[in-house]
Amino acid sequence: MFDLSIISNTNKYNLHSHTEFCDGRAQMEAFARKAVELQFDIYGFSPHSPLPIESPCNMLSSNVNRYIDEVKRIREVHGDSCLFLAAMEIDYLGDAWGPSNDYFNSLPLDYRIGSVHFVPTRDGKLVDCDGRHETFVEKMHRFYNDDIRYVVETFYRHSIEMVEKGGFDIIGHLDKIGDNASFFQPGIEDESWYRSLVDDLIDSIISKQLIVEINTKVVEERGRFFPGIRYWKKLVDNNVPIVVNSDAHVPALINAGRDKAFECLKETIC
């Protein structure tokens, strides 16, 4: 498991970011320089993992060694100012592919983030349900016959399966489907069946003693964290380890929303 002691005395860290190796919009060097400029103590790179299917957002397996080499180079150049870590955000696609896959265990990673982005259609086609609201609505029409309950239930079922199989340290944006689902069907996150799904996932996380990420990627744009604040008390009361990550895709946003998250987390604890 990721050694949380390295961030126990600092809030100047970020363990979730995406660069040119996946869908990030700047090179790793630019992120490293911004981390040093902002006097971060620890900075983790976490490209979207290679997949056995085509995806424009995920890194190619042929680039993995180059990615690892680039982390080593950045450590040599900037390591006196900040501790740089190599990680991946690994997609769970089902039984055949996820963080527990032997391939990922063989890589020299400092930690692993497990996330669900793809939800299979009823006939098994894997569709990326992340991204913009408008795109999600189009996919609901095209692939899911507007069955939002099926999409949500499958997202959380896959999330629990991923947790049970293990192979990762941090669960990424555990209720992220709620953002697009709420745009498609306002109020869905307040419905009892939806809340029950999130509670079941959190119970599974507690039993496996995983680290939960508070993801601040859209808090400045949409005013919400992943997971939602309503779930933080249960996490805190059950001593779930928590990290605060910005999920940055551009260097300027590596600290976006994180200060607000720490303030809200302090209120939750107190």
Side-chain angles (χ1 to χ4, degrees):
M1 177 172 283
F2 174 68
D3 184 4
L4 281 169
S5 67
I6 68 172
I7 61 170
S8 61
N9 295 315
T10 181
N11 288 342
K12 300 295 287 185
Y13 68 84
N14 183 41
L15 302 176
H16 191 161
S17 66
H18 300 286
T19 68
E20 81 273 22
F21 283 96
C22 54
D23 61 345
R25 297 190 288 278
Q27 294 186 335
M28 286 173 63
E29 174 67 21
F31 284 83
R33 290 181 180 180
K34 177 58 71 170
V36 171
E37 176 189 329
L38 295 180
Q39 298 183 327
F40 271 50
D41 295 309
I42 297 120
Y43 196 84
F45 298 104
S46 57
H48 291 290
S49 68
L51 294 178
I53 60 173
E54 258 189 58
S55 170
C57 295
N58 290 70
M59 76 184 304
L60 299 173
S61 58
S62 58
N63 284 334
V64 170
N65 288 339
R66 189 162 65 87
Y67 160 63
I68 297 297
D69 287 343
E70 180 63 2
V71 175
K72 292 177 181 176
R73 186 196 67 80
I74 285 173
R75 287 171 176 163
E76 292 173 358
V77 175
H78 302 289
D80 289 341
S81 302
C82 178
L83 174 62
F84 290 96
L85 303 176
M88 276 188 190
E89 183 178 16
I90 304 170
D91 278 288
Y92 180 79
L93 302 182
D95 288 339
W97 194 263
S100 63
N101 190 290
D102 288 341
Y103 169 71
F104 297 110
N105 293 328
S106 72
L107 299 177
L109 302 175
D110 295 300
Y111 60 93
R112 296 161 180 80
I113 300 172
S115 297
V116 174
H117 298 96
F118 292 80
V119 175
T121 62
R122 291 190 181 276
D123 60 1
K125 179 180 176 60
L126 288 163
V127 177
D128 187 349
C129 287
D130 202 7
R132 297 186 302 110
H133 289 161
E134 296 76 15
T135 303
F136 179 76
V137 171
E138 293 173 4
K139 291 177 179 179
M140 285 298 304
H141 298 332
R142 181 180 177 188
F143 298 110
Y144 301 108
N145 196 31
D146 289 341
D147 189 348
I148 188 62
R149 183 152 181 166
Y150 165 80
V151 171
V152 168
E153 288 179 339
T154 304
F155 175 91
Y156 285 111
R157 176 169 56 82
H158 273 209
S159 296
I160 290 175
E161 288 175 5
M162 178 180 71
V163 168
E164 294 300 317
K165 289 179 181 295
F168 63 103
D169 307 283
I170 302 168
I171 185 165
H173 44 63
L174 67 85
D175 67 341
K176 196 173 185 185
I177 194 65
D179 184 35
N180 277 333
S182 290
F183 181 81
F184 185 81
Q185 181 178 308
I188 192 172
E189 291 181 274
D190 295 322
E191 296 184 18
S192 59
W193 67 269
Y194 182 98
R195 295 285 295 273
S196 179
L197 290 172
V198 181
D199 280 334
D200 288 346
L201 174 56
I202 291 175
D203 287 341
S204 182
I205 290 167
I206 292 169
S207 71
K208 293 296 183 179
Q209 299 182 318
L210 287 174
I211 302 167
V212 165
E213 162 191 270
I214 292 177
N215 187 300
T216 67
K217 180 181 178 181
V218 301
V219 67
E220 295 183 355
E221 176 187 357
R222 301 178 196 168
R224 66 172 297 160
F225 299 102
F226 306 115
I229 290 178
R230 66 174 65 178
Y231 301 109
W232 293 11
K233 189 175 189 305
K234 181 173 181 176
L235 296 170
V236 170
D237 287 350
N238 285 278
N239 299 311
V240 175
I242 292 172
V243 295
V244 177
N245 294 328
S246 70
D247 195 354
H249 287 60
V250 295
L253 298 180
I254 66 173
N255 201 43
R258 294 183 70 260
D259 292 338
K260 183 175 181 180
F262 282 116
E263 291 174 9
C264 295
L265 190 56
K266 184 177 181 180
E267 293 174 3
T268 301
I269 293 172
C270 295

